[in-house]
Amino acid sequence: MLDEQMLPDKPPALARSLGVAGVLFLTLSATTPASSVFVIIPGMLQEAGTGAIWAMILASLICVTTAFIYAELSSAWPVAGGEYVAVAQTLGPMAGFVMLGVNVFNNVLFPPVAALGIASVMATVAPGLPAVPVAVAVMIGSTLVAILNIRVNAVITGLFLLVELAAVAVVMVLGFADHARPALEFLTHPVVAATGQGFVPASAASIGVATTIAIFALNGYGMAVYFGEEMHEAPRRIAGTILAALGLALLFEGVPLLALLLARIDLATLLTVDDPFGLLVRQRGSAGLSALVSVGIVLAIVNAIIACVLACARFFYSTGRDRAWIPRIDDWLVAIHPRFDSPWIGTLIVGGMGTLACFLPLSMLLVLNGTGLVAIYGGIALAAMAGRRSGASAHAPYRMPLYPLAPVVTLLALAYVVWTSWLDAGEGRPGLIATAAQIAGSVLWYKLVLCRRGQWKVQT
């Protein structure tokens, strides 16, 4: 147990040791293109059929506008707290703490959700693996790796990233090598496979739902800001890193989707099977190649978990520095390892919470995660507009083009996502309710705890 009296009044700073490449490796690892391709995009195909191409295009436009917002706010405040710092600086401390509260769930719950999916991905190589023990082992191992120096982790995640991009490249090569249908049909006549009816036109609603899935698949580019305090010349360089991360995610997620739909495989099967990309590899490649790709996907998931634990630990480091919790917890979160220069106790806390979450039902984790992404994107869009209006972000080296187009488009798109989510009584509506509960809980903590200490203020 640490002695509070031994901790300094001013928390030690994170060491600046990363360049653009290191932050890009970490950010793209968190975005995890291979996991999105093999795990998330199949849901788009089942929902919208070949209309998934339109969904990817629409999601790309929305993510580009959101990336512009992230780039401007991050260049103004390249702080480990990320979104909540920018919101607090532009919309006020209570709005900032609400963003902090939502992000706690959004950041902490992704690693266990991803870890619980590893056993199913490994089914083709090692069937029968128990999901929870595997997830727990991955969470513990990833946490221990995340304690190491951030430059070591940048190298590790970079190597893993090369493996997962190789798996995605296999899909692209196999799909384009022997294509069976013209790509233009996907835009002019998008169709969905209907049981007993062959193909029917994809509806605007189904493409809209698939678009929300695509936004989630592409998400992660804004995570670069969590590493801003460890990046050399962050105000000048972080915007370009965020935009590059999104550009690479679009390339390695959009192109494989097109390659799959072009492949000479029965289209109805591709649109309905649970593992269409795996099917492509098995039919156009070989059993050995399929096993290698499965291993690559597992490495991609582990890589994403490591990157997310790293980012989440930095996020919590910032919350501890801003005295968001009780004093003992705050002091633990800002403790820096003397050798690795990492927020090591915060990393252990994040990993510990993720490990315990592995014992919860996956459906509960998904509901608890809610629609936090909607609240986060909406918060930074409003923050960008407020920062421009008040001049709070005027010092940002990067300024988004065609302002206010990006925040307006983002807010309109999020309104549509909220509407479609509310219509989905199975998952969307409970997710919205969970996010509303997180917002209410954050307001209560701010009013009942932080306000009683005096004015809460974030450090930049």
Side-chain angles (χ1 to χ4, degrees), residues 83-84 98-108 226 315 376:
E83 297 92 347
Y84 88 79
V98 166
M99 185 64 58
L100 185 158
V102 173
N103 243 335
V104 166
F105 289 88
N106 200 62
N107 288 337
V108 168
Y226 296 133
F315 164 80
I376 292 166

Side-chain angles (χ1 to χ4, degrees), residues 133-157:
V134 169
V136 168
V138 169
M139 280 301 310
I140 292 174
S142 299
T143 301
L144 295 177
V145 171
I147 292 175
L148 301 176
N149 183 274
I150 191 70
R151 292 186 65 182
V152 174
N153 274 285
V155 172
I156 293 172
T157 55

Side-chain angles (χ1 to χ4, degrees), residues 165-450:
L165 294 184
V168 173
V170 167
V171 170
M172 292 189 283
V173 170
L174 293 177
F176 288 132
D178 187 15
H179 55 275
R181 52 192 68 90
L184 189 59
E185 287 186 0
F186 305 146
L187 298 178
T188 58
H189 299 95
V191 295
V192 177
T195 304
Q197 303 179 51
F199 294 104
V200 298
S203 67
S206 66
I207 292 176
V209 173
T211 300
T212 64
I213 299 173
I215 292 172
F216 178 73
L218 294 167
N219 181 55
Y221 45 88
M223 200 167 284
V225 68
Y226 296 133
F227 305 108
E229 292 186 44
E230 293 162 286
M231 184 182 194
H232 296 296
E233 302 180 68
R236 183 176 63 84
R237 305 167 82 182
I238 198 165
T241 307
I242 291 171
L243 297 176
L246 175 60
L248 290 171
L250 292 175
L251 173 65
F252 286 106
E253 295 183 28
V255 175
L257 172 61
L258 178 61
L260 174 78
L261 292 175
L262 290 174
R264 193 176 296 278
I265 298 178
D266 178 62
L267 184 60
T269 302
L270 287 177
L271 299 183
T272 55
V273 72
D274 289 334
D275 184 20
F277 292 95
L279 176 66
L280 171 64
V281 176
R282 290 191 296 273
Q283 287 200 6
R284 309 303 300 173
S286 64
L289 182 61
S290 176
L292 288 175
V293 169
S294 295
V295 172
I297 303 311
V298 170
L299 288 178
I301 296 173
V302 173
N303 199 28
I305 293 170
I306 294 172
C308 287
V309 171
L310 285 165
C312 192
R314 274 112 188 115
F315 164 80
F316 274 104
Y317 165 85
S318 181
T319 67
R321 180 175 57 193
D322 291 332
R323 318 307 288 177
W325 315 111
I326 62 175
R328 176 58 65 90
I329 300 259
D330 290 332
D331 290 337
W332 286 347
L333 293 175
V334 298
I336 299 296
H337 195 282
R339 179 179 176 186
F340 300 133
D341 293 322
S342 62
W344 67 286
I345 298 180
T347 303
L348 291 174
I349 291 174
V350 168
M353 290 190 296
T355 301
L356 291 175
C358 291
F359 293 95
L360 297 175
L362 181 59
S363 58
M364 180 183 294
L365 293 177
L366 293 174
V367 169
L368 288 174
N369 197 43
T371 50
L373 199 59
V374 173
I376 292 166
Y377 280 5
I380 64 169
L382 294 173
M385 298 175 77
R388 285 286 189 116
R389 185 173 61 251
S390 67
S393 62
H395 63 285
Y398 175 84
R399 308 290 275 179
M400 73 181 80
L402 303 177
Y403 176 83
L405 182 62
V408 169
V409 168
T410 298
L411 290 172
L412 290 175
L414 293 176
Y416 178 74
V417 170
V418 169
W419 176 64
T420 56
S421 296
W422 185 257
L423 295 178
D424 179 11
E427 295 182 6
R429 191 176 301 171
L432 288 172
I433 294 172
T435 300
Q438 294 164 19
I439 292 172
S442 300
V443 170
L444 286 175
W445 182 269
Y446 178 81
K447 293 286 190 182
L448 299 179
V449 178
L450 298 185

